[in-house]
Amino acid sequence: DQQVKQNSPSLSVQEGRISILNCDYTNSMFDYFLWYKKYPAEGPTFLISISSIKDKNEDGRFTVFLNKSAKHLSLHIVPSQPGDSAVYFCAAKATSYDKVIFGPGTSLSVIP
Amino acid sequence: DTAVSQTPKYLVTQMGNDKSIKCEQNLGHDTMYWYKQDSKKFLKIMFSYNNKELIINETVPNRFSPKSPDKAHLNLHINSLELGDSAVYFCASSQIHGYTFGSGTRLTVV
């Protein structure tokens, strides 16, 4: 019973182009969403987050969009750089319950 | 000065053995977690402790026993290891939103 889904296991993008990573969730109690980035043999590191009261949050090259009615969020990286190549995890939590649920991850390859 | 450190990084052991993984955070966070990343790469929560108190205990076999001697430490002890316990185990800590993860412990049971 996956509450957080990332339907694309992998994505390849040319350097300089936009990377769009998608995430869907099923639990309407989720009110906070996070993206984590993970390199091999390292722990996930926090990238960007968004509260359900917003529909967009931007931090440098990274922007997260939230569509609550569709229960969908996306992470945009522009321009993509080779150092962005990693696995990206979408995660969600309900403030009333301190448990973050992770999606299965999308492996992004940025080709020079 | 790693924020969340866990040891060992790699652990290879035989079925039936008992092993421990240690985790320490120097961020002053109140809450610590253990997550398991299985062969399908899913990150699943196992336990959560807030200020040394158990908050979340997912459906984890009772062979897994977390211990929190103080709020900066959360250790994971596993009894009678089984092949299916092979995974990468991540410790994490948080204050409000967002986690800081350790680099993981790759456990291989042979």
Side-chain angles (χ1 to χ4, degrees):
Chain A
D1 177 29
Q2 282 186 45
Q3 297 187 62
V4 179
K5 304 177 186 183
Q6 294 175 258
N7 292 322
S8 297
S10 61
L11 177 67
S12 285
V13 171
Q14 206 73 29
E15 181 179 4
R17 299 286 184 103
I18 184 171
S19 296
I20 300 177
L21 296 96
N22 292 305
C23 177
D24 298 289
Y25 61 96
T26 57
N27 190 337
S28 56
M29 296 295 293
F30 289 147
D31 56 8
Y32 200 80
F33 304 90
L34 311 99
W35 284 94
Y36 282 81
K37 176 179 176 179
K38 184 183 179 306
Y39 292 117
E42 291 184 15
T45 54
F46 172 74
L47 192 57
I48 193 169
S49 63
I50 188 167
S51 162
S52 61
I53 62 172
K54 293 185 170 184
D55 54 19
K56 177 183 174 182
N57 189 24
E58 192 172 349
D59 183 3
R61 296 186 296 114
F62 302 91
T63 303
V64 56
F65 295 92
L66 174 62
N67 182 335
K68 279 185 295 182
S69 60
K71 294 194 177 69
H72 177 83
L73 62 155
S74 60
L75 174 69
H76 292 210
I77 306 173
V78 55
S80 301
Q81 298 173 354
D84 296 330
S85 297
V87 176
Y88 289 79
F89 289 97
C90 173
K93 69 177 287 190
T95 304
S96 56
Y97 189 52
D98 184 29
K99 183 168 77 171
V100 174
I101 307 294
F102 285 83
T106 295
S107 178
L108 173 66
S109 296
V110 179
I111 304 161
Chain B
D1 52 340
T2 308
V4 179
S5 59
Q6 49 182 114
T7 55
K9 193 168 178 67
Y10 300 96
L11 184 53
V12 181
T13 187
Q14 288 189 320
M15 279 176 55
N17 283 350
D18 303 339
K19 290 293 178 186
S20 291
I21 308 172
K22 295 185 177 181
C23 179
E24 176 181 4
Q25 55 100 0
N26 62 7
L27 297 166
H29 288 168
D30 288 331
T31 310
M32 294 184 73
Y33 310 82
W34 278 107
Y35 271 80
K36 177 181 179 181
Q37 187 178 33
D38 60 22
S39 57
K40 294 183 179 177
K41 306 301 181 188
F42 281 93
L43 272 167
K44 293 183 179 175
I45 191 167
M46 300 174 68
F47 301 102
S48 160
Y49 268 73
N50 185 282
N51 218 351
K52 301 193 297 176
E53 275 194 51
L54 181 65
I55 303 298
I56 296 172
N57 183 349
E58 292 294 292
T59 49
V60 176
N62 58 15
R63 298 182 295 103
F64 290 79
S65 52
K67 293 281 191 301
S68 183
D70 55 61
K71 77 172 197 176
H73 295 83
L74 181 61
N75 304 321
L76 183 65
H77 189 76
I78 315 169
N79 289 329
S80 304
L81 278 154
E82 300 178 356
L83 293 176
D85 297 332
S86 295
V88 181
Y89 293 85
F90 288 99
C91 177
S93 72
S94 76
Q95 193 68 354
I96 303 175
H97 288 307
Y99 292 178
T100 301
F101 281 88
S103 58
T105 296
R106 181 174 292 278
L107 171 65
T108 304
V109 182
V110 297

